[in-house]
Amino acid sequence: HKLCCLPSGFGKLTCLRKLGLFVIGAGVDDARILELGNLKMISGRLEITNLQYLRNPSDAKNACLKQKNTEFFMLNWSQNQMEEASVSDMNHDLVVLDYLEPPSQIRELVIRGYRGPCLPRWMTKQSDSVPLSQFLCLTNLQLQQSPNLKHMRGLVQLPLLKKLRLCRMPNLEELQIITCGSDVPEKYYCFPLLSTLIIVDCP
């Protein structure tokens, strides 16, 4: 838990199959998230921390997380939650999270410390080109410490989601669980199998 970075050159470990933790550092000699793009064989669990140090959003795109064979993802911004984020900080986080789209076979997803004003495109039904659901295996979704997120609406359908946890989101006003898609004649439930809903510190 005290690890503050990984060394640069991590992307040379092209045969690596397991990488439980990837820590982004603030130094010029620290590993950059784009190095994950070369690790095409990793699978299982992957936690990425210190996303607040990611300066170039295109690095997140080049990490190619969508192509990984992983079933558990944790995306963690570790900044001080007491600090107020600027508009540029919020938009930066939104672009980064848009690029950090997980693979379609993901089973568990945890997003912590995200400062964006809204959910990323891959979590919402924004156009007819986006399928009703692209995460057919997701059973556990957790959003924690997202101080600027006000609305959760227009969500894609998560047909197997059983547990949803929302924690420390002081400005959250709405969780919309029924959505009407423009290419669907009637409304649909976002979480038809949800059995556990946990809401903590969302006044």
Side-chain angles (χ1 to χ4, degrees):
H1 65 281
K2 294 184 178 181
L3 193 63
C4 59
C5 67
L6 291 179
S8 62
F10 224 78
K12 296 179 181 179
L13 303 176
T14 56
C15 291
L16 195 65
R17 294 179 180 272
K18 299 290 182 182
L19 177 64
L21 178 65
F22 189 89
V23 185
I24 301 171
V28 294
D29 294 326
D30 299 337
R32 296 168 63 188
I33 194 173
L34 61 82
E35 296 191 63
L36 288 175
N38 294 327
L39 308 183
K40 304 182 186 301
M41 301 175 67
I42 59 173
S43 62
R45 175 189 177 98
L46 178 59
E47 178 180 348
I48 302 174
T49 65
N50 287 353
L51 281 165
Q52 72 277 9
Y53 294 140
L54 202 163
R55 302 303 177 195
N56 189 346
S58 65
D59 283 0
K61 183 178 182 179
N62 292 328
C64 303
L65 295 190
K66 188 177 180 179
Q67 301 174 15
K68 308 302 181 197
N69 188 29
T70 49
E71 296 183 347
F72 174 94
F73 259 126
M74 176 180 284
L75 304 173
N76 192 356
W77 284 257
S78 304
Q79 68 275 343
N80 185 351
Q81 292 299 310
M82 299 303 293
E83 295 179 359
E84 185 174 350
S86 65
V87 173
S88 62
D89 288 336
M90 291 189 285
N91 290 335
H92 179 271
D93 280 12
L94 175 57
V95 174
V96 168
L97 189 55
D98 267 339
Y99 284 147
L100 294 177
E101 180 179 347
S104 59
Q105 77 276 2
I106 194 77
R107 294 182 181 274
E108 297 184 58
L109 175 63
V110 180
I111 300 173
R112 179 181 294 162
Y114 167 64
R115 298 173 297 176
C118 58
L119 294 173
R121 288 174 293 182
W122 44 267
M123 289 186 70
T124 57
K125 177 82 172 124
Q126 296 189 353
S127 69
D128 291 344
S129 62
V130 179
L132 281 179
S133 179
Q134 48 193 343
F135 303 108
L136 299 177
C137 301
L138 188 67
T139 60
N140 186 352
L141 174 62
Q142 299 185 42
L143 300 177
Q144 304 175 10
Q145 301 173 20
S146 295
N148 303 306
L149 195 62
K150 290 187 176 182
H151 304 283
M152 294 180 64
R153 59 165 73 117
L155 294 168
V156 295
Q157 189 177 36
L158 303 173
L160 291 186
L161 191 73
K162 296 181 179 179
K163 182 176 181 179
L164 175 63
R165 178 183 174 92
L166 306 175
C167 181
R168 295 183 64 187
M169 301 166 69
N171 289 307
L172 185 66
E173 299 174 0
E174 179 184 22
L175 169 62
Q176 189 180 77
I177 62 172
I178 300 178
T179 300
C180 185
S182 58
D183 55 345
V184 179
E186 65 275 344
K187 295 180 180 180
Y188 65 87
Y189 287 94
C190 301
F191 326 117
L193 291 185
L194 190 70
S195 58
T196 302
L197 173 63
I198 301 173
I199 301 177
V200 180
D201 290 339
C202 300

